[in-house]
Amino acid sequence: MKYILSFMFVFLSMTLIAQTSINDYKYVVVPKSYEFSQEQDQYQLNSLSKFLFEKHGFNTIMEGDNYPTDLAEDRCLALYANAIGNSGLFVTKVSIELLDCNGDLVYITDEGTSKDKRKGQAYIISTREAFKSLETLNYSYNEEKTSNSNKDSTPKFTDKEIAAKQDIDVNEPKANKAESTIAEEKIEVVKPLGVTKYKRGDSIVSLIKTDGGFELRASNLNNKIIASLLISGQDNVFHYLKDMNTKGIAYFSINGNLNIEYLDSDNVLVSLSYELQ
């Protein structure tokens, strides 16, 4: 009994440390495929992981996408996601790891399980179950602590690695401060004000600004409210609520287009893009 209690104390202590230190990281990088996968984004598990991290408030980047400047210069600002998957005869199991820039384990979720006989669905269900562990973390990036602790001690990307991430010519002369400011202004996300029209195929919708976010109304349904976009704790990311069973995220692209991602009734990731009119 004494040894059991000692083990439980150590385990709980490690859990509390992980919950504290996880706030020291600004980003989560999700790989394009997991080690147990046979192809990139198999069963859309990597897209699902990105969606679920964002749902829990993490600033998430897919591996290979353009990295923010601070992350390109300091890869230790991010945690790197990994999934441990095991598909047995009767049960499929998945755990999600978060590793630091040195490959050390910072956090691991509880094991998600599924007895679904369809392998793809079993992995999807198990992954969703594993991510439920993040609900209790209440993640919030601690910028001040990170900037102080990582100021001089963290490994950096080389110039070539930065160029590869940002698609920059390393031989190109650096822009001056004024040019840099202009470049930053050009990539500012266009957000709608008041009532804005969007189109997707033959469907035209109106996005109406509210105190809590936006209402999405369908023109062909007498402007009926078909979904709500609610403010989240993350800039340019909104909670997408279509009905009790359809929940996801919404965000605006640089050109002002509206992008929506959610899981359908079969746990398949659906991505919609509405063009700004």
Side-chain angles (χ1 to χ4, degrees), residues 189-192 232-238 250-254 257:
V189 174
V190 178
K191 294 182 181 179
S232 71
Q234 188 175 352
D235 186 41
N236 194 36
V237 177
F238 298 82
Y251 57 94
F252 299 101
S253 58
I254 294 174
N257 291 343

Side-chain angles (χ1 to χ4, degrees), residues 139-205:
Y139 166 78
S140 178
Y141 172 52
N142 187 349
E143 183 175 3
E144 182 177 354
K145 183 174 181 179
T146 303
S147 60
N148 290 335
S149 61
N150 290 348
K151 187 173 182 180
D152 297 313
S153 60
T154 54
K156 308 294 184 181
F157 277 120
T158 65
D159 289 342
K160 290 184 178 179
E161 289 174 321
I162 295 173
K165 295 295 183 185
Q166 300 286 21
D167 194 22
I168 298 173
D169 185 353
V170 292
N171 297 317
E172 185 176 319
K174 295 182 179 180
N176 59 37
K177 186 175 181 181
E179 290 173 341
S180 177
T181 303
I182 293 173
E184 290 178 1
E185 290 176 352
K186 286 183 178 179
I187 62 172
E188 183 177 353
V189 174
V190 178
K191 294 182 181 179
L193 298 173
V195 180
T196 311
K197 297 287 186 180
Y198 290 85
K199 184 177 182 180
R200 179 176 177 270
D202 296 329
S203 176
I204 297 178
V205 298

Side-chain angles (χ1 to χ4, degrees), residues 15 35 50 66 88 121 125 140 149 160 180 198 220 245:
T15 301
E35 293 180 1
K50 183 176 185 295
N66 286 340
Q121 289 299 106
I125 294 170
S140 178
S149 61
K160 290 184 178 179
S180 177
Y198 290 85
N220 61 338
N245 299 315

Side-chain angles (χ1 to χ4, degrees), residues 188-247:
E188 183 177 353
V189 174
V190 178
K191 294 182 181 179
L193 298 173
V195 180
T196 311
K197 297 287 186 180
Y198 290 85
K199 184 177 182 180
R200 179 176 177 270
D202 296 329
S203 176
I204 297 178
V205 298
S206 298
L207 198 62
I208 301 175
K209 187 76 171 65
T210 65
D211 291 338
F214 300 93
E215 291 177 349
L216 194 63
R217 296 174 177 263
S219 299
N220 61 338
L221 296 176
N222 296 321
N223 287 325
K224 177 183 177 182
I225 299 176
I226 58 174
S228 297
L229 277 61
L230 304 180
I231 295 172
S232 71
Q234 188 175 352
D235 186 41
N236 194 36
V237 177
F238 298 82
H239 298 296
Y240 174 77
L241 303 177
K242 185 177 181 181
D243 52 50
M244 292 298 295
N245 299 315
T246 306
K247 301 177 182 179

Side-chain angles (χ1 to χ4, degrees), residues 5 23 37 39 54 57 74 89 102 118 120 133-134 141 144 168-169 174 178 187 198 203 214 228 256 263 267 271:
L5 290 174
N23 295 327
S37 302
E39 59 189 52
E54 290 173 346
D74 183 359
L89 183 60
N102 297 311
R118 297 167 297 176
S133 297
L134 297 181
Y141 172 52
E144 182 177 354
I168 298 173
D169 185 353
K174 295 182 179 180
I187 62 172
Y198 290 85
S203 176
F214 300 93
S228 297
L263 295 172
N267 283 323
S271 297

